[in-house]
Amino acid sequence: MDSLRNRLILLIAISLVVSGCASGPAISVNQDPDADFTAYQTYRYASDLGTDRGGYSTLITRYFKDAIDREMQNRGYLLEESEADLLVNFNARVEDRTDVVSRPTPSYGYYGYRYGLYGAWPMYDNEVTTVHYQVGTANVDIVDVGSNQLIWEGVAVGRLGSRIEEDPAGAIGDTIAEIFTRYPVPAPEAGE
């Protein structure tokens, strides 16, 4: 009976991982309703980017910049190193999380028939499963340089899988692309 219980736990764990991977990150945006996003033509990056806290540029910073450049330039914006209409900053954070799940399971064993009668649910025990995982948050801020006001923020929050370790540039690129699907200036359709 223990092997049946272990197989059931394994199947539940696999289904949780697969369902977590199937649904991408949760995306949320906040924007200034008065900003005219079509009036902007150029952008530059903040001098102190959120992913460069050690005083040097990281590989993660390069992956973010490459992905953001693709999205901004695909929408017609030009990267300018000095004077620009928009200032772009971004940040990433990883948190460790733990979920504890308690669920009733059938009570088996020699005295299982008697033991289960005295529990909260007759013939059931409680099984507690603990799952440790990481949640990543990525955000992109876009600031109007003239007014020095944040006009758009896109945030992605999701459970991290093995892809972030195997292909960080691709994982970050996909996340940034998903964030920018909610940007007020849409990217042109393929073939336009």
Side-chain angles (χ1 to χ4, degrees), residues 187-192:
E189 296 292 324
E192 285 185 30

Side-chain angles (χ1 to χ4, degrees), residues 53-186:
R53 296 202 175 130
Y56 55 87
S57 185
T58 65
L59 291 172
I60 298 298
T61 297
R62 181 172 54 181
Y63 302 150
F64 267 91
K65 279 184 167 182
D66 289 347
I68 291 170
D69 284 343
R70 273 191 303 275
E71 297 301 323
M72 293 293 282
Q73 291 169 15
N74 197 20
R75 287 164 173 76
Y77 297 106
L78 299 173
L79 177 62
E80 294 286 334
E81 294 300 324
S82 56
E83 298 297 319
D85 303 325
L86 298 172
L87 179 71
V88 177
N89 196 359
F90 49 84
N91 199 357
R93 182 179 72 219
V94 175
E95 295 177 347
D96 292 323
R97 299 248 177 110
T98 302
D99 286 343
V100 178
V101 179
S102 176
R103 63 180 187 81
T105 58
S107 176
Y108 297 109
Y110 183 73
Y111 293 105
Y113 69 94
R114 276 186 87 189
Y115 173 73
L117 295 175
Y118 301 106
W121 292 37
M123 301 302 289
Y124 285 89
D125 287 333
N126 280 328
E127 183 175 291
V128 177
T129 305
T130 305
V131 179
H132 302 282
Y133 59 97
Q134 292 183 316
V135 172
T137 303
N139 71 292
V140 178
D141 295 340
I142 297 185
V143 175
D144 179 308
V145 172
S147 65
N148 200 31
Q149 288 292 313
L150 179 75
I151 59 169
W152 187 81
E153 175 185 35
V155 180
V157 179
R159 192 170 179 164
L160 299 180
S162 60
R163 181 163 182 234
I164 193 70
E165 294 176 16
E166 297 165 2
D167 180 20
I172 290 169
D174 290 348
T175 300
I176 295 299
E178 201 163 332
I179 289 173
F180 270 87
T181 62
R182 307 273 303 271
Y183 191 74
V185 177

